[in-house]
Amino acid sequence: MDLVKLGGSVITDKGKVTTLRPTALRRLAAEIAASGRDVVVVHGAGSFGHIKARKHRLNEGYVDDGQLPAVSEVQRDVRTLDLAVVDALRKAGLRPVSLPPSAIARLSDGALRDLDIDVFRRYADLGFTPVTFGDVVLDDRRWFSICSGDLLMLALAQSLRPRSAIFVADVDGVYTADPKRVRAAKLLRAIGPANLAAVDVGGSTAHDVTGGLAGKLERMIAVARYADACLLVNGLKKGRLLAALRGKPVVGTRVRP
Ligand code: IP8
């Protein structure tokens, strides 16, 4: 079994509210299907979640009643994105089943307290492709908060012990600095606690309510403890996800525990 996180920056246009990148999504769904692997898919929220969640400070939990319509709206928006992911996977020939965190997960002060892993296992055993995603979820301390796809990746990796955990992003891998802003940034072929300090993590949080690069790297390193291989690959480049799923050499960054 493999775990794939389709990053919100790949399947949506993060700068334009509720805007899908249908071509990338279609191709990535086809690559997952072509791999022939049993995959559990997690996807980020991208512009279907982060822009409004940030505006209404949903990651901070309950602040005032004015946030409540936004909780409902963001839950609706991420489900709209999820439906597009499910449709793309169905068109690629798979049998996806959607498992919304708002219904099957609970947080405690932003940490994942409960996730019904058995539902994932049962659907996967029956030949379905479980799909889950970054969502607004009940929180027993904050009333509600954001459950990111990365938190779900960690919980799923801990329980399912996948062969590979693949993070699909809009860059070739982890760089020494933000490659979109720093020309001299170098791609790291591997990242782990030993060379984490080589990465300049500043200024990468633009629309993200779930933490910037520093938090992301920490969570990927945690996921790497529970998978035989953990990789970050560029989902905007054709064939990279497929190669990663097939265990073939691929441009990207290997994440070490
Ligand atoms: O895109 C965030 O999930 P992520 C979920 O995986 C929301 O960080 C609702 C912003």
Side-chain angles (χ1 to χ4, degrees):
M1 200 275 297
D2 301 89
L3 265 179
V4 170
K5 163 132 190 239
L6 299 175
S9 56
V10 191
I11 59 172
T12 80
D13 180 338
K14 279 195 101 169
K16 288 190 200 141
V17 75
T18 57
T19 306
L20 195 67
R21 283 173 126 166
T23 314
L25 175 58
R26 209 177 306 126
R27 183 177 40 73
L28 291 166
E31 290 187 27
I32 291 171
S35 74
R37 300 281 309 165
D38 293 332
V39 174
V40 173
V41 177
V42 177
H43 63 84
S47 61
F48 288 71
H50 288 272
I51 298 173
K52 289 179 191 169
R54 185 182 197 84
K55 180 168 170 211
H56 298 281
R57 298 162 60 193
L58 302 188
N59 55 322
E60 293 174 31
Y62 178 85
V63 176
D64 60 51
D65 285 356
Q67 294 170 298
L68 303 182
V71 169
S72 166
E73 191 177 337
V74 172
Q75 279 197 357
R76 174 209 173 269
D77 287 351
V78 291
R79 281 190 189 220
T80 304
L81 172 61
D82 182 60
L83 212 51
V85 173
V86 163
D87 280 343
L89 292 166
R90 289 189 64 232
K91 281 190 187 124
L94 295 170
R95 286 163 297 209
V97 286
S98 178
L99 302 171
S102 60
I104 59 160
R106 267 162 199 268
L107 300 172
S108 183
D109 220 4
L112 196 51
R113 197 194 73 188
D114 277 335
L115 177 67
D116 192 346
I117 298 283
D118 196 48
V119 193
F120 286 83
R121 257 198 212 105
R122 295 273 299 138
Y123 276 117
D125 286 349
L126 292 170
F128 294 99
T129 301
V131 181
T132 192
F133 50 90
D135 202 354
V136 189
V137 168
L138 284 173
D139 187 305
D140 61 12
R141 305 285 288 275
R142 304 180 189 172
W143 292 22
F144 51 79
S145 193
I146 300 291
C147 178
S148 73
D150 290 352
L151 273 185
L152 295 162
M153 284 289 282
L154 180 55
L156 289 166
Q158 267 170 336
S159 303
L160 302 176
R161 306 285 166 144
R163 185 192 69 160
S164 67
I166 303 167
F167 290 83
V168 181
D170 64 343
V171 285
D172 280 349
V174 179
Y175 284 79
T176 49
D178 182 355
K180 290 173 188 159
R181 296 185 315 156
V182 182
R183 264 168 169 264
K186 283 202 178 65
L187 178 66
L188 296 166
R189 303 315 303 253
I191 184 87
N195 65 343
L196 204 49
V199 181
D200 172 10
V201 293
S204 60
T205 53
H207 296 282
D208 255 354
V209 288
T210 43
L213 184 58
K216 179 150 193 87
L217 289 175
E218 227 171 78
R219 287 187 294 269
M220 286 197 307
I221 288 170
V223 169
R225 282 190 217 125
Y226 306 105
D228 298 336
C230 182
L231 282 168
L232 178 74
V233 295
N234 193 338
L236 298 177
K237 304 272 172 75
K238 195 175 161 201
R240 296 218 181 143
L241 173 59
L242 179 58
L245 279 168
R246 287 185 169 156
K248 297 250 171 71
V250 62
V251 176
T253 298
R254 187 165 285 272
V255 185
R256 299 199 200 287

